Amino acid sequence: MTVIATVFLPLLGSAIAGLFGRVIGARGAQIVTCSLLVAAAVLAAQLFEQVALEGNAVTVSLAGWIQSGGLSLDWALKVDTLTAVMLVVVTWVSAAVHLYSVGYMAHDRSIARFQSYLSLFTFAMLMLVTADNLVQMFFGWEGVGLASYLLIGFWYERPSASAAAIKAFVVNRIGDFGFLLGIFGLFLLFGTVNLDAIFAAAPGKTGVSVSLLGLHIDVITLCCLLLFVGAMGKSAQLGLHTWLPDAMEGPTPVSALIHAATMVTAGVFLVARMSPLFELSDAALAVVAVVGAATAIFAATVGCVQNDIKRIIAYSTCSQLGYMFFALGVSAYQAAIFHLMTHAFFKALLFLAAGSVIHAMSDEQDIRRMGGIWKHVKVTWALMWIGSLALAGLPFFAGYYSKDVILEAAWSSGTLVGQSAFWVGLVAAVLTAFYSWRLLLLVFHGRPRADEQVMAHVHESPAVMIIPLLFLGGGAMFAGVVGYDWFVGAQSHDFWGRSLLVLDLHPALDLIHHAPSWVALAPTVAAAVGIAVAYLFYVFAPGLPAALAGRLPGLYRFLLNKWYFDELYDLMVVRPAFRLGRGLWKGGDVALIDGLGPDGIAATSLRVGRGVAASETGYLPHYAFVMLVGVAGFVTWYLLFVR
């Protein structure tokens, strides 16, 4: 019963707020959704204790679902250690976001609708992580996609918000198509989409190949890569990342919910859940590691030159997801989920603290128009520092434990891909610390650069917004040290049990204790270097960034324009698609189908009717002439053909 209540309480809150919002009002909708989310978070904590700490994994069957041919599925909720961790992360962060939204959205005209969407999003994510088969997981997968579309485009009267929602929806459909193909492939291979049945049969399918375009491809590798395409879309990995920064058009609580603990971590969860399959394909693991490392460095470079406070944090999210994926790629699944958990707290903290800054600055988001406000928002300033310290991986904040163990595992993997990912991740760590302190120094310190009218109204956020920040700040400080032994330390094998599978061939995490001492020290040194450079650029020599951009204008524009991915896709995909669509519309639909079909028949009938009507003149000589022509024609036909 605890499992069912944890999953369905957010759905109940969404239904009440969405269907009866006009009856209970904005305040009633907030009370209902927040209360039910807090209740779900409490129950998730209980499940974590029962399942993860006491080892009592459980699967609750709700009802029969699909019976079709050889496909037999129940609607069931699977809760093992991996699921229990995700339940805690999702519900706790979502509860904080719900409470924060009470203050942040206080003056919005559609509060009940917003609260309903938030709870719907949470329910879809909970369905995703509790699925015991791939079809049910896809249901949750598409549910978070739908809810994200609704939330990103919540202020639909803004063209930019509507465009961002459509972009997120379309880009994710590309990834989802890969996920669907992966599900189809696994069903063809195993005859089932039930996770436990697939995992049990997987070792017996090693070596099975399929001929594709003249190449013999390992089937498990192919299915893993297709699943990973789905993960790339949801988790904004390089190539399918372009929707993520545009999603900042949604309200700030949406950014925290989508980009911290929920939708963007779905891809990480998927690969971790499917670890028994990925462990059988070194090629698939190598692809995951390469894409993750490339994403980490790409997003970190772009984050260094962005000026929108939310976009900087969004690219930071993209970069940190890259860390998680290259951890998965070296079989350090435990480290990836550990970083997912700590990142959820400090990234949600950074997004919501950014929302507090935007609230204080009268909706200003450009960090170049801020500065010198720390004395007016001391709590937000302190919490933003805590979040940045955790993000940069400074001792002894949450990110220090989780990000460092990822880098150590990448080095300890002993593979070329793993050790390359280590060096890429180290460079990304320098850049992460740099853009984090760039944001802090430009927003809170130095001289005020905002208008006097804006500065006159700078104020701290209300308690209903600060309390969730304090909770997340506690997670950013202590989640790493509290969870270390369970997730990646001495107790990790007992803690994870059978929810994650790592073969003896991939002992990266077990070997981190044998890594050289400089490997463990390097991430902290990298963070210190990044912070030092930020102070040099924005405190001691503030003219240096502009001078450097002037000396390297091509590089600066390249980074400012996000490596021109959007422009490239516009040139190669969007414009040809529009040209094709316009051609099919004008030439195919209008000219061919309508021209020869309904419109053509109607026009011909109209012309014939007009001709007949024109012949009806009402003059007797005209009718006599027509009769004479008819008689002559009849006589001619008779003489030629009848006689």
Side-chain angles (χ1 to χ4, degrees), residues 303-309 312 357 361 364-374 381 384-385 388 434-450 455 534-539 541-543 545-546 556:
C304 290
V305 298
Q306 296 301 303
N307 297 309
D308 184 296
I309 186 171
I312 294 171
V357 170
M361 295 292 295
E364 180 59 68
Q365 294 186 202
D366 193 329
I367 62 175
R368 296 170 297 182
R369 297 173 185 167
M370 299 182 185
I373 67 170
W374 76 272
W381 166 72
M384 200 84 169
W385 267 81
S388 298
F434 171 79
Y435 64 65
S436 297
W437 259 255
R438 173 178 177 261
L439 186 152
L440 286 173
L441 295 173
L442 289 179
V443 170
F444 295 103
H445 301 278
R447 62 178 181 82
R449 294 179 297 277
M455 290 301 298
Y535 269 99
L536 174 64
F537 276 29
Y538 299 102
V539 176
Y556 177 72

Side-chain angles (χ1 to χ4, degrees), residues 352-365:
L352 295 185
S356 184
V357 170
I358 295 167
H359 179 78
M361 295 292 295
S362 303
D363 296 328
E364 180 59 68
Q365 294 186 202

Side-chain angles (χ1 to χ4, degrees), residues 30 101-111 359:
Q30 291 170 336
S101 300
V102 172
Y104 191 87
M105 302 294 289
H107 302 294
D108 197 87
R109 295 175 298 174
S110 304
I111 291 175
H359 179 78

